[in-house]
């Protein structure tokens, strides 16, 4: 089903996230467009939404498969007044907001994998790509690029990710309105963003911890061809994952992909 843009704009009018909304039938990447709008001074809460992307971007220069009429591809511009050292709290918050949104369709089955992959039963249903622009002292803006697999079927995924990806329709067993998911996503993002900026990171962190099964487990994290192993013990204030190594050393990992959890 296509988006009803007039209804969408009416619903989002005056909201913290989603006003104004720039919609594209096809675009290279909503993140690229949001980045250029932000450089031109677009206000906080401005969003870019596309039906399909021909150059969808994933983390670590991967591509994000973005076929038409099925999924959500959106990028949100935020201008948080927080210290530079807290910038990584924002993508953590985004994972929480996506998980809460998807929970309504698959209650009790949504899991977060650090830093912010959203999974159902070990399969990825959503990915978040955040890009920040900062000066030496100041956070100028953050783009939160969010992709959610909504109405994809098993055979629609590229072979590469077919066995490791899932969608809302596959999990809920019915077609899902992208528009409803999107409205709820912007609402939850606004709610958690307000929470973070007004009350700090504690509540976001508690919610994140309640949605992950990684804590207390042995994990392997890959970053730039290096493998870091340890038991995950906590989420740090700056969004990094705290591990205890087999030599009983505490380390904080701020980037990477979790490739194994035992
Ligand atoms: C990941 O690798 O898990 C992050 C994927 C992020 C994909 C989304 S889709 C909307 C936005 N535009 C992009 O080009 N990428 C993000």
């Amino acid at each position: 089903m296509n988006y009803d843009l007039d209804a969408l704009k009416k619903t989002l009018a005056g909201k913290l996230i989603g006003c104004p909304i720039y919609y594209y039938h096809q675009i290279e990447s909503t993140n690229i467009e949001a980045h250029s709008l932000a450089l031109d001074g677009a206000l906080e809460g401005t969003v870019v939404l596309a039906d399909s992307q021909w150059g969808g971007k994933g983390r670590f220069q991967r591509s994000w498969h973005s076929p038409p009429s099925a999924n959500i591809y959106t990028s949100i511009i935020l201008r948080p007044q927080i210290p530079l050292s807290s910038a990584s709290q924002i993508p953590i918050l985004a994972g929480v907001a996506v998980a809460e949104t998807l929970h309504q369709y698959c209650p009790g089955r949504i899991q977060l994998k650090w830093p912010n992959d959203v999974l159902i039963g070990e399969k990825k249903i959503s990915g978040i790509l955040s890009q920040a622009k900062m000066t030496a002292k100041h956070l100028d803006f953050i783009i939160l690029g969010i992709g959610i697999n909504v109405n994809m079927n098993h055979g629609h995924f590229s072979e590469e990710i077919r066995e490791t990806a899932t969608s809302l329709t596959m999990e809920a067993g019915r077609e899902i309105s992208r528009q409803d998911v999107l409205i709820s996503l912007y609402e939850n993002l606004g709610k958690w963003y307000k929470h973070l900026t007004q009350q700090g990171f504690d509540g976001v962190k508690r919610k994140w911890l309640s949605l992950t099964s990684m804590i207390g487990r042995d994990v392997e994290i890959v970053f730039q061809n290096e493998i870091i192993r340890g038991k995950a013990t906590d989420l740090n204030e700056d969004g990094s994952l705290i591990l205890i190594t087999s030599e009983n050393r505490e380390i904080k990992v701020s980037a990477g992909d979790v490739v194994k959890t035992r």
Side-chain angles (χ1 to χ4, degrees), residues 29-31 53 56-59 64 74-75 124 127-128 145-147:
S29 154
T30 56
N31 264 42
Q53 302 180 115
K57 285 144 58 95
R59 294 172 67 227
W64 186 259
T74 187
S75 298
K124 185 155 162 170
I128 298 167
I146 302 177

Side-chain angles (χ1 to χ4, degrees), residues 28-32 48 53 55-60 62-64 66 72-75 116-117 124 126-131 144-148:
E28 181 177 359
S29 154
T30 56
N31 264 42
I32 295 178
V48 179
Q53 302 180 115
K57 285 144 58 95
R59 294 172 67 227
F60 304 118
R62 295 184 197 119
S63 60
W64 186 259
S66 311
I72 289 176
Y73 317 110
T74 187
S75 298
N116 50 20
D117 279 353
K124 185 155 162 170
S126 169
I128 298 167
L129 175 67
S130 65
Q131 296 175 289
L144 279 178
I146 302 177
I148 303 177

